[in-house]
Amino acid sequence: MNMMGVIFSNVYDERLGEVTARRTVASLPFGGRYRLIDFVLSSMVNAGITNVGVITKQNYQSLMDHLGSGAEWDLDRKVDGLFILPPFGQGQKSVYRGKLEALWGARKFLERSNEEYVLLADTNIICSIDYRKMLKRHIESGAQISMITTREEISGLGDSCDVVVRSDTTGRVKDVLMHYGIPGIENAGMGMYILKRTFLIELLRKSHSYNLVDFERDIIQAKCAYLNIAELPFDGKILRIDSLGKYFSANMALLDPSVRDEIFTRHGLVYTKIRDEVPTLYGTGCKLTNSLIADGCKIFGTVENSILFRGVTIEKGAHVKNCIIMQDTKIGEDVRLDYTICDKEVTITTGRVLTGAPAHQIVITKGKVV
């Protein structure tokens, strides 16, 4: 495919609180066995993209461990493949402040690539998308930049959308609203953009000379009246994760089989790091209702409406309801958990009761003993 990919791994770190305190959004566990980056990276690979750069900023050790050589995505190649692009790669004296500065730091990667087009993408949107179709539509539009959007409801009450797009009947973007919070259904940006590689490099050089740092604000919003920017609507299911509450609800959405079918199979499979585990052990008397259970778990208690990652242990008499329990966590006997997110390697000791609420979940950080 004549398009390369660039993935931003850290864009929403500060919004997810404790679960991204020591990891990037891109490496945030999701759905029992995946990381958020798996979805956009798999969609790229399914579309035939074989040259992908992942721009990092901080706390990216777990991301590097997850991606490895890129073998699980067939990106361990002699030509092209998967590239980790760390900060300070081009002699910068400070960490980048926005996407433009991040891309400027990765300009050598862009200049040395041969693909005609570039796909820029965040990792906080979970969906199955056909990038071949999107590239074709971009070329047919004749636009300099195409931005992929979706119809999304803004509830107000503190909820807002980072980028809202207003277009004319031909699909050309006429206005862009940032951090828009008025209730209603709007065309919301998905953090995905397609443009020519040479045009992107030209934009970066000009932006650097003017000390511009924010791609959405300084390019998409500020220059939409001068640039030919097209809107490419996406009509599939998406799960947007830009807060802790939305992370919780996105995981819970996977308990609906129709959502799982849409996210995992619509335009190809979702690939992730392989970890060989024994099958899950279901002990005598355990009870499970409407839950996703990964391999390697040991369940002797009750699990209801929950997501369990690999290697989780639920002891006898424990009742786990409406929870996300990450890898290698141990839930002791007679524990009661409701609306709780347990990070990796947490231990909940015998008899503890932790009860959150649908709008405010309890978060237990990695490695903590309660």
Side-chain angles (χ1 to χ4, degrees):
M1 188 181 190
N2 196 20
M3 184 164 69
M4 62 184 294
V6 175
I7 298 174
F8 299 96
S9 65
N10 289 84
V11 174
Y12 293 91
D13 287 1
E14 71 283 354
R15 298 192 188 181
L16 283 105
E18 297 97 327
V19 295
T20 51
R22 291 186 285 180
R23 61 164 68 95
T24 68
V25 164
S27 62
L28 184 59
F30 182 80
R33 59 178 300 184
Y34 301 92
R35 304 294 182 105
L36 294 193
I37 195 171
D38 292 340
F39 296 87
V40 63
L41 186 56
S42 295
S43 289
M44 288 182 177
V45 170
N46 289 334
I49 296 174
T50 58
N51 185 20
V52 180
V54 180
I55 294 180
T56 63
K57 185 176 185 180
Q58 58 194 11
N59 295 329
Y60 53 89
Q61 181 61 52
S62 64
L63 178 63
M64 293 176 64
D65 176 67
H66 177 70
L67 294 176
S69 66
E72 281 82 2
W73 298 268
D74 193 27
L75 291 175
D76 54 338
R77 298 165 174 259
K78 291 183 178 179
V79 179
D80 292 335
L82 180 68
F83 300 89
I84 304 296
L85 306 173
F88 310 110
Q90 298 294 326
Q92 299 97 319
K93 296 181 180 180
S94 61
V95 177
Y96 63 81
R97 295 169 291 171
K99 290 181 181 179
L100 286 175
E101 282 193 341
L103 289 166
W104 177 253
R107 66 190 181 279
K108 293 298 183 184
F109 170 67
L110 295 168
E111 291 168 352
R112 292 170 181 170
S113 298
N114 297 313
E115 291 81 4
E116 185 176 1
Y117 296 93
V118 179
L119 168 65
L120 307 178
D122 296 336
T123 59
N124 70 310
I125 299 293
I126 303 299
C127 67
S128 178
I129 184 170
D130 186 352
Y131 286 127
R132 285 193 182 94
K133 179 179 178 181
M134 291 299 174
L135 176 59
K136 180 181 179 181
R137 290 169 58 187
H138 167 72
I139 295 172
E140 291 173 348
S141 73
Q144 294 169 293
I145 304 174
S146 287
M147 54 188 308
I148 301 174
T149 65
T150 183
R151 295 288 285 172
E152 194 165 334
E153 184 176 2
I154 302 172
S155 64
L157 302 174
D159 181 29
S160 65
C161 187
D162 284 350
V163 180
V164 167
V165 177
R166 302 284 168 77
S167 304
D168 61 21
T169 55
T170 67
R172 179 169 178 177
V173 175
K174 293 299 184 181
D175 196 13
V176 175
L177 306 172
M178 304 290 294
H179 307 295
Y180 186 81
I182 299 176
I185 298 177
E186 300 285 351
N187 290 352
M190 293 172 57
M192 301 175 184
Y193 304 89
I194 299 174
L195 66 167
K196 283 191 173 183
R197 180 178 58 86
T198 53
F199 180 61
L200 175 59
I201 294 171
E202 178 186 343
L203 281 178
L204 294 177
R205 288 172 179 158
K206 291 181 179 179
S207 299
H208 182 68
S209 66
Y210 283 101
N211 194 32
L212 303 179
V213 300
D214 191 306
F215 184 80
E216 279 85 3
R217 185 176 298 280
D218 296 329
I219 300 296
I220 300 300
Q221 183 183 51
K223 300 184 183 299
C224 65
Y226 311 103
L227 296 176
N228 183 359
I229 303 177
E231 178 186 3
L232 303 181
F234 173 67
D235 61 359
K237 175 70 176 179
I238 79 158
L239 301 172
R240 185 185 298 272
I241 299 174
D242 54 13
S243 68
L244 187 60
K246 288 186 178 180
Y247 170 70
F248 181 83
S249 62
N251 273 278
M252 293 299 109
L254 295 183
L255 298 177
D256 183 341
S258 66
V259 174
R260 293 200 301 273
D261 289 344
E262 177 79 13
I263 295 297
F264 288 101
T265 62
R266 188 182 187 198
H267 294 296
L269 300 177
V270 179
Y271 309 101
T272 191
K273 180 181 178 180
I274 296 173
R275 175 180 168 181
D276 295 327
E277 288 277 5
V278 298
T280 289
L281 170 64
Y282 298 97
T284 302
C286 73
K287 297 180 181 179
L288 291 96
T289 306
N290 192 37
S291 297
L292 292 181
I293 313 295
D295 49 351
C297 295
K298 297 178 181 179
I299 303 176
F300 303 97
T302 300
V303 180
E304 182 179 352
N305 298 329
S306 296
I307 311 288
L308 269 57
F309 286 72
R310 295 161 169 157
V312 170
T313 299
I314 309 292
E315 295 289 3
K316 185 177 179 180
H319 191 154
V320 175
K321 181 179 179 182
N322 304 317
C323 293
I324 300 171
I325 311 297
M326 296 188 196
Q327 184 175 307
D328 296 328
T329 288
K330 301 183 184 302
I331 308 299
E333 293 186 4
D334 299 320
V335 167
R336 296 290 184 270
L337 298 182
D338 196 2
Y339 290 106
T340 300
I341 301 173
C342 291
D343 209 323
K344 296 170 64 174
E345 301 169 2
V346 165
T347 300
I348 309 296
T349 57
T350 301
R352 299 301 183 205
V353 177
L354 300 174
T355 303
H360 186 76
Q361 300 81 35
I362 295 174
V363 178
I364 311 299
T365 55
K366 182 180 178 180
K368 190 170 183 179
V369 177
V370 178

